[in-house]
């Protein structure tokens, strides 16, 4: 499956925090930047952290598989081994999970590993993985 890269601009309160988290903890290479924004390579996708000071509140949460999923959120679908490696790296970095890594919809259509956490500015991020990527859009 070959997908075009997406572009997402999101608010951060501090560029040094964003650089440390997205570049350091998440391992995203830095692209162009200014004193107000930084481009990051998020697995081939362009994330742009825009410094806006304090961020606004979440719109809310939706119940999914017994958890309150924060809205809005963004993320990636990784191969299972990369998902486990990232979960380990996040734990080692002391990242607090909004929803601890676990397998959602176990034994059902769409079974997936998922985890939710926030960057230092409070942006909610979901990283998931499928043992069978064919289940990504399964009903």
């Amino acid at each position: 499956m070959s997908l075009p890269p997406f572009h997402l601009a999101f608010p951060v309160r501090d560029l040094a925090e964003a650089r440390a988290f997205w570049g350091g903890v998440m391992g995203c290479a830095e692209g162009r930047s200014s004193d107000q924004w930084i481009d990051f390579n998020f697995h081939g996708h362009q994330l742009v952290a825009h410094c806006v000071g304090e961020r606004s509140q979440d719109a809310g949460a939706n119940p999914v598989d017994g958890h309150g999923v924060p809205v809005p959120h963004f993320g990636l679908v990784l191969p299972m081994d990369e998902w486990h490696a990232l979960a380990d790296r996040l734990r080692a970095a002391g990242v607090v999970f909004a929803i601890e890594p676990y397998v959602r919809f176990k034994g059902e259509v769409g079974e997936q590993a998922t985890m939710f956490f926030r960057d230092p500015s409070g942006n909610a991020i979901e990283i998931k993985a499928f043992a069978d990527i064919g289940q990504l859009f399964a009903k």
Side-chain angles (χ1 to χ4, degrees):
M1 176 181 344
S2 177
L3 299 173
F6 69 79
H7 163 84
L8 176 67
F10 63 100
V12 298
R13 65 181 178 203
D14 180 270
L15 289 180
E17 277 183 336
R19 185 172 274 123
F21 181 79
W22 289 100
V25 176
M26 295 297 291
C28 298
E30 186 174 322
R32 294 171 295 135
S33 67
S34 79
D35 60 351
Q36 293 297 311
W37 53 266
I38 304 169
D39 284 349
F40 291 103
N41 180 343
F42 189 46
H43 293 261
H45 303 288
Q46 185 189 42
L47 292 187
V48 185
H50 285 272
C51 189
V52 297
E54 293 303 315
R55 65 180 292 282
S56 61
Q57 298 297 320
D58 289 344
N62 282 331
V64 179
D65 195 37
H67 293 89
V69 170
V71 177
H73 68 265
F74 65 93
L76 281 176
V77 178
L78 294 176
M80 193 64 76
D81 60 335
E82 290 182 35
W83 183 88
H84 283 289
L86 179 58
D88 291 344
R89 193 165 71 241
L90 293 169
R91 284 187 183 108
V95 171
V96 175
F97 290 95
I99 299 175
E100 289 282 335
Y102 83 107
V103 176
R104 173 191 290 167
F105 309 131
K106 196 167 186 83
E108 299 176 34
V109 172
E111 180 178 309
Q112 59 195 262
T114 188
M115 62 179 129
F116 283 82
F117 52 94
R118 293 180 183 273
D119 73 1
S121 294
N123 295 297
I125 303 149
E126 178 184 20
I127 306 295
K128 57 172 75 178
F130 290 79
D132 174 4
I133 194 63
Q135 293 288 301
L136 183 61
F137 296 107
K139 291 184 176 185

